[in-house]
Amino acid sequence: MQRFSNITGQARHGLEKMTPAGLMSRPNQMDMAIAQPIKRPINGQPLSPHTPVDTVVNLSFNVPFASSLPGPDVAEILHATPKALERWTFPDGADKEAPTHKLPVHHGNVEQLRRLCRVLEEGSQGRLQATVTSSEPKPVPALQRRPLKGLVTNVCISGDAEIVQKMRAKILNETPIALRCAIVDVDTNLIINQEMTGVRVGVLNHLDEIAKYCGTDIFLINPKHADEEGPATSYGNGSDQHFDQRLRIAIYGDPESSEHAKTRVLILIDRILHRIADVMRLELSLHTIICGRTRKNIRLIESASNTAIYFPPPFPRIYGYIPPGAHRRGEDEVFITGDSQECINMAKKKLHELVMNTKCYVKDVAVSAQKIDSILLDRLDKVRKVMETNGSYVLFPSLGSNRGMIRVQGTEILHVERTLREIMALAGQFYGASWWLMLPESAQTNAMRAPSPADIRTMLSDICLNSAAEVGFDKLTFSINGSDDAVKAAMMVIHQIPFVKRAQYQIRVKIELANEHKEFVSGKKNGKINKIMGQSNVQIIFDGFNEYNFYIDVCGAQYDATKNGLDLVEQEMPASISFHVPDQYHKRIIGIGGQHIQRIMKKYSVFVKFSNAMDRGGIGKEDDDIKVDNVICRTPARNAQSLDLVKQEIMDMVEKVDAEFVSETVVINRLYHRELIARMNEIDELEKKWNCKIDFPSTEMASDVVTISGPEYQVPQAVDEFLGMVPESHEIVLPATSQLREFFKSSEFQTEVRQKLKSQYEVDLLVRNESKPAEEAETSEERILLAYTRNNAGGLKDAIDFLVSRLIPYGLDATTVKGAIPRPKSDSFEDSLPFFDSKLLQNAPAPLGTDSPTRSTFGDDASDRGSLFGKIRKPGSISSISSFLDRRKNQSSSPGTGSLFKHASSNASRASLVSMESRDSGYRNPWNDSGVNLPEEDGHNGWPLRFENKSEHKLPFGIVPISASPGDMTPRHDPRASFDSGRPSTSHSTNGYPAPIGPPR
């Protein structure tokens, strides 16, 4: 029998003679023989082929309870649906420092799982055993991976293979996994009763009915408190106290139930606004297709018919759990709300026309069943984003069904191919590994005896709890599946088991990678693979899987050698970055005969490829093709730090006006989105004028955040003009005097105050009591409303100061004005010179806020936006709805109050601080590999620079990427913050959309 080292040596020396086709597949029996565990004689004793035949299979997996999901703050709750308070809050007298996973709802879920396992075990008549273990995971040293938070619950099942798989599916589909909290903000004046003493009883009753019907827990919560320490407002995000004054409806439940309840709450709000609701039935698989790419078709329908269209979740029945007594939303039900039935009928007619004019292309592709389950549990949100971006639909088998086939359909073959490549890229973020143990036949001592069934279950549970991988054990063979870091963590834990250390074993790790990267990873004449096998004493086999991906098998007889070989292979994985450069600059950057770009590529050992509009399917095929990332830079992960340098050098050759595509967000009340969508023609002209794209969130999201993306130096102007379409108002209250009332009625007030406010500050002034009868106007207060557009909010402070200064001569006491905005501290030198009594350094009062309309950094999450007016006024704790209403009345803040945002054009320099990542393009990398390799030169280390797809990256040895964000991912020497596997993905990141040049091959 040949030794493993001999076989690897022969493969290493003979690999150069193998053709690429021979390397990438297994055409003969010799390769198949190598793929099996290799047995070596130990101390002259023959090895048994396997342990005695045993049908018992052990499978251990973690049940993804959301045990770290906290409940609402009891002090902020205004109303809770029946039994919700007991489930999501600790009882009186409980430890205030108790961890979240001890909440009654999480504890009850674990107990429910234990009961389910006991019932299944008793019903199997002894053919099945199930053990449930819950504990907090221990950190795995030397690995940087997503930390497991809170309590982790594991189930270990032993029995016949088929029954074990069925029980696993039953557990995942009958337990409330992946609980979440959906938030809907609602304006206070919509749900408060006429007496202004509390929430309308009808609204509370309706919330109770929704919670019971959908199987969720719903809380009505007080407004958010302004973060006194945080920044005032982000770039373009006019977020003021108006947003912080909205009540919140928090919906807790499993993904499908919470989505259903959220939609019904949104419809409730529409009905309060006197809109009519109706329903239309459409085939589920057509929803994302008729919506079009980035929901463009639906936006046009909503604009034309003045309606709001709510589509159901695209993945119904993926999680089989249904709360007791709950009802599922029909998977083909599309809710439509509008001002009249005629508007709804118009929307229905247009939707019907879209369906009749839609043609679909369908394609099936094989994917590992284990990876399908991993995608459904960890990457479903990214799949949904891919579907919306490409206007396609992905049909998955149900969770735990053990079926390895998915179906994709779309209106164009190009979009189907892009979707499939993205799904295959997600599958490549998960690894599979096998660990074969080999015992000699004469091993009768305790030292070499196989562990008992109870020991096996304990061992597997410990591995899963601390690695997050799914581990099986059958016939002395570990099978491991999960994300790349989870699989490596599980292997590390297995290696530390004494029983495993004393045995002979062989390890194989399977990496899935896009077919386009075969030569990229293997190197010219397979030089990279030969070198890795020589350095690490491992065997590397390329095995075809399907038309999109192939497997890289890393096999070794020692853990340290296999780990080293795996790390070296990961270092050769493609790291890439893509961005947009207008087509007119391509020739300038490439240079005569390619001399400019060749110099850059040689300098940094990075391959750069350009794609023009014709390569992406023809000019005019897509309206927004001009914004596609059309330049890609690729290099092995070990050289990933050069990607940013290459990008910067390329962008230096582009004029500033087109230099960088960035994305910015503005916060606008979601209910006003409908008014803006109705002005879609104006928005289209704005987009063409500034070469930008404005994306509204989908109706079901109920989000206030609008994304504006485009060239870095154009976005501020586009933001300014877009915010000019958004009206805002601010109310101030003055003590009423007869002298003031007379002045308000004089012509001097019209010319000296109103007209100057309009001409100098773009603010319209309205005296609320001016139009009232004399007997009603004789009140103790005068209310003045200042109206402006969001882009002029930066002048509100000066406008108020101007108004107050004009009213002081007529008996106004400036200190009695409610709603005025105090000046911030005048100068930072004041803190440095507290002991100087100088008239030049006036002692300004301590600042309560800032009127700066921008934050110091960009790209902040919209959920972190602060309230500027809220910071200035510093509202106290809101313990009841009545106290909240009284305080709100005293502050005299209009619901339409806007934030301070100065003219966006003056913030152009601020825009340069935006992250240099390109915007979240709808489709990327739309080209195939040209097949042209760089010439062999010193700077290229002998690897062929040939590629197609974009990747998410992670480098071994602690080099990891920055957290996930719109745009391209570049590995950096920073701790990884992404929830994704950080290893360089096999093909592209979620944001990349590879596709062939022209029709797919």
Side-chain angles (χ1 to χ4, degrees):
M1 183 76 67
Q2 291 176 314
R3 290 183 179 272
F4 184 78
S5 59
N6 293 337
I7 293 178
T8 56
Q10 291 175 6
R12 186 164 61 248
H13 294 299
L15 202 56
E16 292 182 358
K17 301 177 183 178
M18 299 174 65
T19 62
L23 177 64
M24 306 311 167
S25 60
R26 293 177 177 167
N28 50 46
Q29 294 299 319
M30 181 187 70
D31 292 333
M32 295 302 293
I34 293 175
Q36 301 300 322
I38 300 168
K39 309 175 184 66
R40 297 183 290 179
I42 304 174
N43 298 328
Q45 298 293 337
L47 295 177
S48 62
H50 273 299
T51 56
V53 177
D54 190 356
T55 58
V56 176
V57 174
N58 300 277
L59 179 65
S60 180
F61 58 95
N62 293 340
V63 180
F65 289 127
S67 60
S68 60
L69 178 64
D73 187 349
V74 179
E76 295 183 347
I77 297 175
L78 296 176
H79 174 76
T81 56
K83 297 184 179 180
L85 202 60
E86 302 89 71
R87 286 165 49 82
W88 287 97
T89 60
F90 289 107
D92 293 338
D95 182 11
K96 295 183 179 180
E97 302 298 327
T100 303
H101 63 77
K102 290 189 177 180
L103 279 172
V105 62
H106 300 314
H107 179 74
N109 289 339
V110 175
E111 292 302 317
Q112 178 183 342
L113 173 62
R114 295 182 189 275
R115 289 193 295 270
L116 175 62
C117 289
R118 282 197 297 269
V119 170
L120 295 176
E121 188 174 333
E122 293 169 359
S124 66
Q125 300 178 351
R127 295 182 301 168
L128 202 67
Q129 285 187 322
T131 304
V132 179
T133 307
S134 295
S135 70
E136 297 188 18
K138 303 174 184 177
V140 178
L143 275 183
Q144 293 184 349
R145 61 186 178 88
R146 175 178 62 175
L148 299 176
K149 297 181 179 179
L151 189 74
V152 179
T153 302
N154 175 266
V155 177
C156 187
I157 312 173
S158 301
D160 181 72
E162 184 177 357
I163 298 178
V164 166
Q165 290 296 333
K166 289 182 178 179
M167 183 173 177
R168 173 183 177 271
K170 192 174 184 65
I171 289 174
L172 291 176
N173 285 282
E174 294 189 9
T175 53
I177 61 176
L179 294 179
R180 63 183 61 183
C181 175
I183 299 291
V184 176
D185 295 319
V186 55
D187 290 334
T188 308
N189 56 353
L190 293 179
I191 61 175
I192 299 302
N193 55 28
Q194 294 180 351
E195 294 78 15
M196 303 296 287
T197 57
V199 182
R200 292 158 52 182
V201 177
V203 172
L204 298 181
N205 292 338
H206 201 91
L207 291 179
D208 292 345
E209 293 175 3
I210 291 175
K212 181 180 179 181
Y213 186 83
C214 300
T216 57
D217 296 315
I218 301 179
F219 297 90
L220 182 62
I221 306 176
N222 268 322
K224 296 179 182 178
H225 291 294
D227 182 8
E228 299 180 4
E229 301 297 330
T233 179
S234 65
Y235 173 70
N237 289 357
S239 151
D240 69 333
Q241 192 177 9
H242 165 54
F243 290 99
D244 290 337
Q245 283 187 340
R246 292 185 299 178
L247 297 176
R248 293 171 289 160
I249 298 176
I251 305 167
Y252 289 82
D254 63 274
E256 193 167 348
S257 298
S258 60
E259 284 289 333
H260 185 194
K262 182 179 180 180
T263 301
R264 291 195 173 272
V265 168
L266 294 175
I267 294 175
L268 167 64
I269 296 173
D270 282 351
R271 285 178 171 173
I272 293 174
L273 294 170
H274 307 292
R275 295 169 70 90
I276 302 173
D278 204 345
V279 65
M280 179 181 184
R281 296 191 178 275
L282 291 175
E283 168 62 33
L284 173 67
S285 61
L286 293 176
H287 290 180
T288 53
I289 293 176
I290 64 174
C291 284
R293 300 182 66 249
T294 64
R295 294 178 66 99
K296 182 176 181 180
N297 296 338
I298 297 304
R299 289 283 169 254
L300 294 176
I301 293 177
E302 291 177 331
S303 172
S305 60
N306 192 23
T307 57
I309 303 176
Y310 301 92
F311 284 92
F315 306 109
R317 314 295 190 269
I318 287 295
Y319 307 122
Y321 173 76
I322 300 178
H327 298 78
R328 281 284 182 252
R329 177 181 176 180
E331 62 182 31
D332 58 350
E333 289 182 351
V334 179
F335 296 127
I336 306 174
T337 62
D339 293 331
S340 63
Q341 190 63 44
E342 289 76 14
C343 296
I344 295 176
N345 292 338
M346 182 188 301
K348 286 184 177 181
K349 180 180 178 181
K350 290 182 177 295
L351 285 173
H352 181 71
E353 291 174 355
L354 282 178
V355 173
M356 297 303 296
N357 296 329
T358 298
K359 60 178 181 180
C360 291
Y361 297 91
V362 181
K363 189 171 185 179
D364 296 339
V365 65
V367 183
S368 168
Q370 292 86 356
K371 293 189 177 183
I372 288 179
D373 286 350
S374 297
I375 291 174
L376 294 179
L377 292 172
D378 292 342
R379 303 288 192 271
L380 205 56
D381 289 340
K382 292 199 171 184
V383 175
R384 185 172 184 169
K385 183 178 180 181
V386 170
M387 289 167 49
E388 291 179 353
T389 304
N390 289 294
S392 57
Y393 181 77
V394 183
L395 178 63
F396 284 100
S398 59
L399 182 64
S401 62
N402 207 28
R403 288 182 291 176
M405 185 71 67
I406 64 172
R407 170 170 292 178
V408 177
Q409 67 182 41
T411 55
E412 295 186 19
I413 297 178
L414 194 63
H415 298 157
V416 172
E417 289 293 323
R418 288 172 175 172
T419 304
L420 280 171
R421 289 172 185 265
E422 280 299 314
I423 301 301
M424 299 310 293
L426 291 177
Q429 296 177 3
F430 301 94
Y431 281 4
S434 299
W435 190 307
W436 291 279
L437 301 176
M438 293 167 284
L439 301 180
E441 290 181 347
S442 60
Q444 302 296 332
T445 63
N446 291 335
M448 298 299 294
R449 183 171 54 84
S452 65
D455 292 338
I456 290 175
R457 287 192 290 271
T458 303
M459 174 180 63
L460 294 182
S461 296
D462 185 63
I463 296 171
C464 290
L465 286 171
N466 293 287
S467 67
E470 182 175 307
V471 183
F473 188 74
D474 179 26
K475 299 178 182 178
L476 290 180
T477 301
F478 291 97
S479 57
I480 312 165
N481 292 282
S483 66
D484 52 0
D485 282 339
V487 169
K488 289 189 286 187
M491 291 171 58
M492 179 176 291
V493 176
I494 292 173
H495 176 62
Q496 296 171 354
I497 299 174
F499 159 70
V500 175
K501 281 186 175 182
R502 290 191 292 265
Q504 299 294 317
Y505 55 80
Q506 182 185 352
I507 307 172
R508 169 180 293 163
V509 183
K510 298 179 77 70
I511 305 174
E512 193 170 342
L513 189 63
N515 288 331
E516 300 84 60
H517 301 316
K518 284 182 180 179
E519 292 185 20
F520 186 90
V521 175
S522 64
K524 285 188 177 180
K525 299 182 180 179
N526 307 314
K528 294 183 181 180
I529 297 301
N530 289 343
K531 186 175 181 181
I532 293 174
M533 291 196 296
Q535 289 178 348
S536 306
N537 194 24
V538 296
Q539 184 180 12
I540 299 174
I541 302 173
F542 285 15
D543 185 15
F545 175 50
N546 57 30
E547 63 177 296
Y548 297 99
N549 287 4
F550 72 102
Y551 283 127
I552 301 176
D553 289 356
V554 181
C555 309
Q558 295 179 348
Y559 169 74
D560 291 333
T562 307
K563 180 178 181 297
N564 186 35
L566 180 61
D567 288 342
L568 292 175
V569 170
E570 287 183 335
Q571 285 193 25
E572 300 301 333
M573 302 286 276
S576 65
I577 184 173
S578 62
F579 48 93
H580 177 82
V581 173
D583 290 357
Q584 65 265 27
Y585 296 98
H586 288 190
K587 290 183 179 180
R588 178 193 303 180
I589 298 170
I590 295 172
I592 300 174
Q595 59 180 357
H596 290 170
I597 199 64
Q598 287 286 345
R599 177 186 59 81
I600 294 174
M601 290 192 291
K602 180 178 179 180
K603 178 180 178 182
Y604 296 104
S605 294
V606 173
F607 188 84
V608 182
K609 186 169 184 177
F610 294 83
S611 170
N612 56 35
M614 190 65 68
D615 296 333
R616 297 191 296 271
I619 300 176
K621 189 174 182 62
E622 300 285 352
D623 292 338
D624 50 352
D625 260 347
I626 57 173
K627 302 175 183 65
V628 176
D629 287 348
N630 54 12
V631 179
I632 186 169
C633 306
R634 175 156 295 155
T635 187
R638 55 185 162 79
N639 187 42
Q641 65 274 10
S642 298
L643 291 174
D644 270 345
L645 302 176
V646 173
K647 178 181 178 180
Q648 186 60 47
E649 190 155 340
I650 291 176
M651 298 311 293
D652 287 343
M653 303 182 195
V654 180
E655 294 180 7
K656 287 185 177 182
V657 69
D658 298 315
E660 185 71 63
F661 268 66
V662 297
S663 295
E664 272 305 328
T665 58
V666 293
V667 180
I668 298 172
N669 191 316
R670 66 177 184 83
L671 295 178
Y672 195 75
H673 290 187
R674 300 169 183 175
E675 305 292 334
L676 294 173
I677 291 174
R679 302 164 65 180
M680 191 59 70
N681 293 335
E682 297 178 41
I683 293 178
D684 290 341
E685 293 178 2
L686 189 155
E687 290 179 335
K688 294 177 182 178
K689 178 179 179 181
W690 300 111
N691 191 25
C692 292
K693 185 171 179 60
I694 300 175
D695 292 320
F696 290 89
S698 61
T699 313
E700 305 87 18
M701 290 177 60
S703 172
D704 299 315
V705 179
V706 179
T707 303
I708 301 178
S709 51
E712 178 184 7
Y713 287 86
Q714 302 280 67
V715 167
Q717 283 80 3
V719 170
D720 179 68
E721 189 167 336
F722 178 68
L723 292 180
M725 303 169 64
V726 181
E728 295 284 348
S729 62
H730 179 72
E731 188 179 56
I732 60 176
V733 181
L734 312 174
T737 64
S738 57
Q739 189 177 6
L740 272 179
R741 292 197 181 101
E742 292 297 326
F743 178 64
F744 289 156
K745 298 176 182 179
S746 65
S747 59
E748 181 183 359
F749 177 74
Q750 300 293 331
T751 57
E752 295 297 324
V753 179
R754 273 186 170 169
Q755 293 183 9
K756 287 188 177 181
L757 280 175
K758 180 62 178 176
S759 60
Q760 296 179 14
Y761 303 102
E762 297 291 338
V763 174
D764 290 325
L765 185 147
L766 174 65
V767 180
R768 287 290 184 91
N769 295 336
E770 191 177 40
S771 58
K772 292 185 178 181
E775 60 274 10
E776 294 184 15
E778 294 295 330
T779 61
S780 60
E781 293 180 342
E782 286 285 354
R783 295 181 178 270
I784 297 179
L785 186 69
L786 302 176
Y788 49 92
T789 54
R790 176 75 66 80
N791 60 328
N792 292 314
L796 179 62
K797 171 71 184 76
D798 294 331
I800 294 176
D801 288 347
F802 172 81
L803 174 62
V804 171
S805 66
R806 290 294 185 272
L807 298 181
I808 287 177
Y810 297 91
L812 174 66
D813 184 358
T815 60
T816 62
V817 177
K818 297 179 182 179
I821 306 174
R823 281 286 180 189
K825 185 177 296 187
S826 60
D827 195 296
S828 61
F829 288 107
E830 184 177 333
D831 291 334
S832 304
L833 304 171
F835 305 106
F836 288 82
D837 184 12
S838 172
K839 293 183 179 180
L840 297 177
L841 299 173
Q842 297 296 330
N843 292 323
L848 300 179
T850 173
D851 64 354
S852 169
T854 62
R855 292 181 179 177
S856 58
T857 57
F858 302 99
D860 294 330
D861 193 282
S863 63
D864 295 331
R865 61 185 184 266
S867 165
L868 181 55
F869 294 161
K871 294 175 181 28
I872 292 172
R873 299 170 187 172
K874 292 203 173 198
S877 174
I878 304 175
S879 57
S880 67
I881 186 64
S882 58
S883 66
F884 163 67
L885 293 171
D886 292 339
R887 187 175 59 83
R888 184 168 178 262
K889 180 179 179 181
N890 293 335
Q891 289 173 343
S892 304
S893 176
S894 162
T897 302
S899 73
L900 300 183
F901 172 72
K902 66 182 179 182
H903 199 278
S905 61
S906 64
N907 289 316
S909 61
R910 290 280 184 176
S912 64
L913 300 179
V914 181
S915 169
M916 287 295 102
E917 307 300 339
S918 63
R919 72 185 190 86
D920 196 3
S921 172
Y923 38 91
R924 297 186 176 171
N925 307 347
W927 53 75
N928 259 345
D929 188 6
S930 64
V932 178
N933 290 329
L934 281 178
E936 193 76 31
E937 298 187 62
D938 296 339
H940 299 152
N941 299 323
W943 46 269
L945 301 172
R946 196 176 166 207
F947 52 85
E948 172 181 341
N949 299 342
K950 172 190 165 221
S951 312
E952 286 179 24
H953 325 284
K954 166 184 160 281
L955 296 176
F957 308 130
I959 302 177
V960 292
I962 57 176
S963 59
S965 62
D968 310 301
M969 309 301 294
T970 301
R972 302 181 185 278
H973 297 263
D974 298 327
R976 181 168 67 255
S978 171
F979 282 129
D980 280 348
S981 155
R983 177 193 59 78
S985 78
T986 59
S987 177
H988 309 76
S989 73
T990 305
N991 297 327
Y993 295 89
I997 303 174
R1001 292 177 292 185

